[in-house]
Amino acid sequence: MENENFVVLKNVCKKFGDNTVIGDLDLEIKKGSLVTLLGPSGCGKTTVLRLVAGLEKPTSGQIFIDGEDVTNTSIQQRDICMVFQSYALFPHMSLHENVGYGLKMLRLPTSEIKQRVDEALKLVDLEGFGDRFVDQISGGQQQRVALARALVLKPKVLLFDEPLSNLDANLRRNMRETIRELQQRFNITSLYVTHDQTEAFAVSDTVIVMKDGDIMQKGSPTELYKKPASMFMANFMGEANIFPGYFDGESININEYKIPADPTMIEGFPINEYQIGVRPEAILLTNHGEESQRCTVNKVAYMGTMYEVGVTWHDHEILLQLNSSQFDASLSDHAYLTINPTGLFLLPFNAQ
């Protein structure tokens, strides 16, 4: 029977001297999925990647790949490929030689190497570039070569270590689309490490958020953004305005402003008082409304596709993010806000 969970970490701990970087970690990656480890610098995500790769050995615990215990095996024995932040290409070799290097080490026939390398370069839109050298191509093309070099080996598991951090915004967007499309096409089980939320959301089936060596929450990008499980998650997954409030059976009540809400929203909460999160993009401003909706506009910053607007509402300083087409620049200092219930989430009253 095929293993649904293709990569498994059980009770994994990693210490460097007296410093515990990873403590009692459990992690499962389903076959053919792309899981991203997301978190701030120093949270342990790269250490987890290196443990899966075999570049580090766990202090305790077990690591399984395709049902096999690989805890004490080397990276060469794990059938894994890694795409690095630095590309790690050989400058004295042509692109064809770079991509085919691993196949050459496997002593495959020259004709097979050429065929597979040509196919890999075509996959990453570098067909005909094989005779060029690293210093003759752009940074984005170098990252494509690094990806082709990994794909050509047809590994069981593909690892990505901050692969796009050296690229500019437009190239990052193009490359993350390429990575996701190829990962899905070849159904490669993949583990991806980044500190960039947008990048994580764009490429992932599942995102695992880490802090101080622990998993804070895991789920789909939508679940993490719309249903954060803690105050840390609420703020880490984007901007959040947090208010005390309660549910009266039909509506969420914040500052006596009632927002219609589905009762299923409060399932799992034993009391009716909460901390209520409101995402900045869920708030609109108008010239008219009830007294409970009245606010004072303090600052407006034009950000191109949107305005960031700071307002004071019932002594709370809150942030709004409005599409340029939604913001009325003629609004006076006093305005009225409307909250879209789809932008609400709840936290227990004492959530940290």
Side-chain angles (χ1 to χ4, degrees), residues 157-201:
V157 180
L158 192 52
L159 306 178
F160 295 90
D161 184 15
E162 300 272 9
L164 308 184
S165 59
N166 288 337
L167 303 178
D168 63 33
N170 287 334
L171 284 176
R172 281 201 303 272
R173 184 181 301 110
N174 292 336
M175 274 305 302
R176 71 189 184 218
E177 291 173 358
T178 298
I179 287 171
R180 184 57 167 160
E181 193 272 326
L182 292 174
Q183 183 270 329
Q184 290 183 314
R185 185 193 303 183
F186 295 104
N187 200 37
I188 303 174
T189 306
S190 303
L191 181 61
Y192 195 107
V193 162
T194 183
H195 63 275
D196 186 300
Q197 178 191 324
T198 301
E199 190 176 318
F201 278 18

Side-chain angles (χ1 to χ4, degrees), residues 127-148:
E127 187 175 14
F129 282 62
D131 292 334
R132 299 191 189 186
F133 287 80
V134 174
D135 62 358
Q136 295 175 312
I137 60 175
S138 68
Q141 290 170 329
Q142 289 178 33
Q143 188 57 279
R144 289 176 183 272
V145 173
L147 180 58

Side-chain angles (χ1 to χ4, degrees), residues 281 283-285 307 321-329 331:
E281 68 274 12
I283 308 173
L284 297 179
L285 292 180
Y307 285 90
Q321 293 173 340
L322 303 172
N323 288 338
S324 297
S325 60
Q326 294 176 319
F327 181 67
D328 182 358
L331 279 172

Side-chain angles (χ1 to χ4, degrees), residues 173-238:
R173 184 181 301 110
N174 292 336
M175 274 305 302
R176 71 189 184 218
E177 291 173 358
T178 298
I179 287 171
R180 184 57 167 160
E181 193 272 326
L182 292 174
Q183 183 270 329
Q184 290 183 314
R185 185 193 303 183
F186 295 104
N187 200 37
I188 303 174
T189 306
S190 303
L191 181 61
Y192 195 107
V193 162
T194 183
H195 63 275
D196 186 300
Q197 178 191 324
T198 301
E199 190 176 318
F201 278 18
V203 301
S204 307
D205 295 300
T206 300
V207 177
I208 296 175
V209 179
M210 296 186 65
K211 178 188 178 188
D212 299 331
D214 295 321
I215 292 175
M216 302 302 293
Q217 191 174 348
K218 60 183 177 180
S220 69
T222 302
E223 289 169 340
L224 296 187
Y225 189 74
K226 292 191 172 183
K227 295 182 178 181
S230 64
M231 191 65 73
F232 169 81
M233 288 296 301
N235 289 298
F236 186 76
M237 302 310 295

Side-chain angles (χ1 to χ4, degrees), residues 58-84:
T59 305
S60 60
Q62 292 175 288
I63 300 172
F64 298 86
I65 296 177
D66 195 14
E68 178 185 354
D69 188 339
V70 298
T71 308
N72 296 308
T73 63
S74 66
I75 186 171
Q76 291 85 358
Q77 297 171 296
R78 296 192 186 192
D79 196 4
I80 277 175
C81 282
M82 200 161 178
V83 179
F84 295 95

Side-chain angles (χ1 to χ4, degrees), residues 35-70:
V35 171
T36 294
L37 299 178
L38 174 67
S41 297
C43 71
K45 57 188 185 295
T46 297
T47 300
V48 173
L49 192 79
R50 291 175 63 83
L51 287 166
V52 173
L55 297 172
E56 300 283 355
K57 295 291 188 290
T59 305
S60 60
Q62 292 175 288
I63 300 172
F64 298 86
I65 296 177
D66 195 14
E68 178 185 354
D69 188 339
V70 298

